[in-house]
Amino acid sequence: MTLFLNILVDGVAYGMILFMISVGLSVTMGLMRVVNLAHGGFALLGGTFAHWFAAELGLPFWPALVLAVTLTVALSLPLERVIYRRIYGFTDLQQVLATIGLTFLMIASVNLWQGSSLLPVPLPEGLKATVDLGFRTLPAHRLMVIAAGLAVVLGLWWLLERTRFGIRLRAAVDNRGTASAHGINTDRIFMAAFGLGAGLAALGGVLGAEILPIDAYYPLRYMVLFLIVVAVGGMGSIAGSFLAAIGLGLLETAARYLAPDFATILFFALVMALLALRPNGLIVRAQ
Amino acid sequence: MTRAIRAALVAVTATLLPAASPADTIKVGVVAPFSGPFAIYGKQYQEAVETYVAQHGTSAGEHEIEFIYKDVGGPNPDQSRALAQELLIRDQVDYLAGFTFTPNALAVGPLIEQSQTPTVIFNAATSSINKESEFYLRTSYTLWQVSAPLAEWAYDQGMRTVATTVTDYGPGIDAENAFKAAFEAKGGEVVDAIRMPLSTTDFTPFIQRVRDAAPDAVFTFLPGGPPTFTYTKTYNENGLAEAGIKFLGTAETEEVNLQGLGDAAIGLTTAYHYSGAHDSDENRAFQAKLTELFPDAIANWASVGAYDGTHLIYQMVAAAGTDGPGAVEAAKTLEWESPRGPVKMDPETRTLIQNVYIREVARDEATGQLVNRETGVIATVGDLGWDK
């Protein structure tokens, strides 16, 4: 019973971190139809800025987090204007090559600026504490990440399904010409959505840094993980990404408890089986 | 008059000769990662080599020494072999050095055997490498060398049950075997031996499993960098330290990433052949010169392996010049005072016989930095994995 509860708690906590980092990719890759392999790069930038603000400039954790996310978004907007706008029109392969090139640029820049060692983001005392769940203890920051993940999934659902911005974004993605003809400024909508994706990546990078620590090679190290979550979830589906992240988190955690030697093989075998059954992911967005 | 002129001429030629005739230059090819995720090791090797050169000049005996660096990128045996070949044939090097990863070191075995090139390994720590060729010499350590003494020390401290958690790849399995063999030979019991996937980022399940088993200590081996960070954090956050389960490791608290680990690292116990905080004049001189030349450099296993490796090359060049077999012969009896403490080349295994220190992470009062404080010397040990 304790084992089951352990798997449940750790799996959800791990899954929520996967979700936090991947959901931005689901936004840019699924909604905007751009194969954005530079997604992890924005998480890296967010984490690096947070490290810089908190560890080097001595700001407390929360202001550092806010500034890091803001700065990443601020960088992503001109990037979208100058580079991504061209990338939208590329074929899939060209998009992959262009965005992976951007990833290398980001890695090299961080490497030059901060070196290739770990870039820790110091947590406030409150988050470092452990919380007693009765049958075991859990670090407080995991609970905070779970709460933040829930907030993000609700916020995104509301933003995309219930606001003008969401309606316009979906219209712009489905048929850009018609949307423009209806007076929607599609350029601005795309820019905002891209900034949103980058901001979510940065947020996930900083909040997830306790499990996926930030260093210059972060984007390449975890690229496969992010892509798996989006692929299993179904591109562009926030709910799908959420289910996939929690499911994969639980699955991998269970494998690690029960059969650590085979955890990786089991994980990939199940992902392959799932994709064979549902090639478009758990939840496919209605076209 | 003529005598005076002749004397003057002799004096002039004597001073001019070595400069006029092209100096006998011996080249050393260094194969190491200078780009990619492991670029820091190549950088550290080069910094340590240059520190040694700055302290001891560019000549050894009657020979000038020149270093040529080649970037192997990462664990890439094919590239390692191709670079070694290029160095031997095109650059005509007489010595090879570097090699961070075991497969990269193993890949050059047949080449150095053929060309009789002494090859100084700065890191690759699998015991069996040196069996592949007489021309391998190693200035780092082997996993057996540090893990087995740690197991014996743990038993002597009263620990009777240990869980091992190692990353599931060559060095991890070496470390597990070494620890287990030594601990069980003493009479201790390994209650759980967990091999963790290389791609693991969340260590909570393994740590929780260890906690449930409640052994006296947990022995771990992890590849450097991010895994170390998350493992030590998880160890603390899941209350293993409070539950009295002691942390035993080797390179997990190495100096480059130590500050990044933060307060979570305080109290972690490791057994290793070098600590940046080692209290000796040699270590202070080495670090002073290193940070004078490279203000951001941090001395760790990689720098000390390269520094001692350079010393070894200088000694070999002075003794035998370009004669490969002669150089290896001369190296076999060397002993010197390294920044890590007294070291001696083992003539059989060609790996250093050295002290293994028990270290505990503590915050240095003077500098405010985390350091690996040496709390004990286990023994002077050679490569214990040689005949395993």
Side-chain angles (χ1 to χ4, degrees), chain A residues 6 10 14 116-118 120 130 136-137 139 141-142 209-213 217 221-222 253 256-257 260-261 263-264, chain B residues 35-37 40 168 194-195 197 199-202 204-206 208-209 211-212 225-226 229-230 233 237-238 256-257 260:
Chain A
N6 276 338
D10 291 330
Y14 180 53
S116 60
S117 56
L118 279 175
T130 48
R136 62 171 283 191
T137 54
H141 68 81
R142 299 244 172 154
E210 291 295 308
I211 286 189
L212 308 179
Y217 286 84
R221 217 187 285 276
Y222 306 121
T253 304
R256 282 175 185 164
Y257 268 109
D261 295 12
T264 312
Chain B
S35 66
I40 186 161
D168 197 0
I194 305 173
R195 292 185 180 171
S199 64
T200 296
T201 45
D202 179 13
T204 322
F206 311 119
Q208 197 61 39
R209 219 174 105 159
R211 199 185 160 164
D212 293 343
F229 179 74
T230 41
K233 281 224 151 188
E237 284 169 346
N238 286 52
V256 168
N257 286 322

Side-chain angles (χ1 to χ4, degrees), chain B residues 255 273-287 337-342 355 357-359 364 371-377:
Chain B
E255 281 72 16
H273 61 289
Y274 177 68
S275 159
H278 182 69
D279 185 20
S280 77
D281 290 339
E282 281 74 16
N283 190 36
R284 274 186 289 273
F286 162 58
Q287 295 204 11
E337 185 69 28
S338 146
R340 67 183 99 176
N355 287 341
Y357 303 95
I358 292 290
R359 306 114 35 103
D364 189 75
V371 293
N372 282 308
R373 182 143 297 145
E374 288 172 2
T375 57
V377 183

Side-chain angles (χ1 to χ4, degrees), chain B residues 113-178:
Chain B
E113 195 63 27
Q114 214 176 351
S115 61
Q116 306 201 316
T117 309
T119 298
V120 180
I121 299 171
F122 287 173
N123 177 54
T126 311
S127 292
S128 59
I129 300 172
N130 287 12
K131 283 206 168 111
E132 298 300 315
S133 167
E134 279 285 308
F135 293 92
Y136 281 123
L137 303 129
R138 173 162 35 201
T139 52
S140 55
Y141 71 112
T142 69
L143 285 157
W144 278 82
Q145 199 172 24
V146 293
S147 305
L150 176 63
E152 288 167 6
W153 175 85
Y155 189 87
D156 292 342
Q157 297 292 306
M159 297 172 217
R160 292 293 177 266
T161 51
V162 170
T164 60
T165 57
V166 300
T167 298
D168 197 0
Y169 74 132
I173 292 161
D174 244 20
E176 182 193 289
N177 290 337

Side-chain angles (χ1 to χ4, degrees), chain B residues 40-41 44-45 47-48 122 251 253-258 272-277 283 286-287 290 297-308 339-340 359 372:
Chain B
I40 186 161
Y41 302 140
Q44 286 184 302
Y45 290 167
E47 287 171 351
F122 287 173
T253 59
E254 65 92 7
E255 281 72 16
V256 168
N257 286 322
L258 185 55
Y272 212 45
H273 61 289
Y274 177 68
S275 159
N283 190 36
F286 162 58
Q287 295 204 11
L290 178 71
I298 298 167
N300 74 344
W301 54 267
S303 16
V304 83
Y307 185 81
D308 284 330
R340 67 183 99 176
R359 306 114 35 103
N372 282 308

